[in-house]
Amino acid sequence: MTKFLVCVVSAFWCLSACAQSGEMKDIAVESEISALEHSWAAAQKANDASAIASLLAENYIEVLPDGSLMNKSQVLDDAKKSKYQTIELSDLKIMSFGDTAIVVGTFDARHSDKDGKPLQDHERFVDTWRKMPDGKWQCIAEGNTVLR
């Protein structure tokens, strides 16, 4: 009976440790993805297309609020032309699933387009990140919708 209790307690301890380890891993991933999202916003504000390029997968695709699509090169070209005064990310919700992470958040920005026309964005976004074979996280897709 004593051996049985020791086995049960040991099994419970192992399962508990594994569950906590998984939760710790999720927290680490969520923290890393949050930092990448904020790095992206800072690079966008600074018109640093090379910093943005490293965050986006080669086959990155973005769905704009009007339903049109942009690929990585179009996004980088746009990043060089837009002039942001402010960018704020808020209400980030990050969920990780192994080598994939989904971020839902709010993007608020004041900026001007390539012609100098002032613009203001208030959008909800969904970003999909994937841990690449080299261990680096990159965004593979983004979707945006205007909040009214």
Side-chain angles (χ1 to χ4, degrees), residues 44-92:
Q44 196 165 7
K45 186 175 178 196
N47 296 96
D48 188 349
S50 63
I52 295 170
S54 69
L55 298 171
L56 305 181
E58 287 307 312
N59 60 348
Y60 170 87
I61 191 80
E62 180 175 349
V63 181
L64 298 173
D66 67 1
S68 61
L69 301 174
M70 290 178 73
N71 63 28
K72 181 177 180 174
S73 65
Q74 292 168 319
V75 167
L76 297 176
D77 187 49
D78 188 59
K80 294 173 192 172
K81 295 175 185 173
S82 297
K83 304 294 181 206
Y84 283 86
Q85 289 80 46
T86 63
I87 293 179
E88 182 180 331
L89 301 180
S90 60
D91 197 26
L92 295 182

Side-chain angles (χ1 to χ4, degrees), residues 115-129:
D115 300 319
K117 177 184 170 190
L119 300 170
Q120 189 162 348
D121 297 332
H122 181 56
E123 299 175 349
R124 174 88 59 210
F125 68 90
V126 178
D127 288 347
T128 303
W129 293 81

Side-chain angles (χ1 to χ4, degrees), residues 4 11 15 17-18 23 26 29 33-34 39 45-47 55 67 74 81 84 92 102 106-107 109 117 128 131-132:
F4 176 74
L15 289 172
C18 288
E23 288 173 14
D26 288 348
V29 168
I33 297 297
S34 178
S39 293
K45 186 175 178 196
N47 296 96
L55 298 171
Q74 292 168 319
K81 295 175 185 173
Y84 283 86
L92 295 182
I102 308 293
T106 303
F107 176 88
K117 177 184 170 190
T128 303
K131 193 167 198 172
M132 298 302 178

Side-chain angles (χ1 to χ4, degrees), residues 111-119:
H111 60 105
S112 53
D113 66 11
K114 63 181 188 285
D115 300 319
K117 177 184 170 190
L119 300 170

Side-chain angles (χ1 to χ4, degrees), residues 15-41:
L15 289 172
S16 176
C18 288
Q20 288 175 0
S21 173
E23 288 173 14
M24 295 298 278
K25 189 182 235 183
D26 288 348
I27 291 169
V29 168
E30 290 169 11
S31 178
E32 185 174 1
I33 297 297
S34 178
L36 290 169
E37 288 284 351
H38 285 91
S39 293
W40 187 353

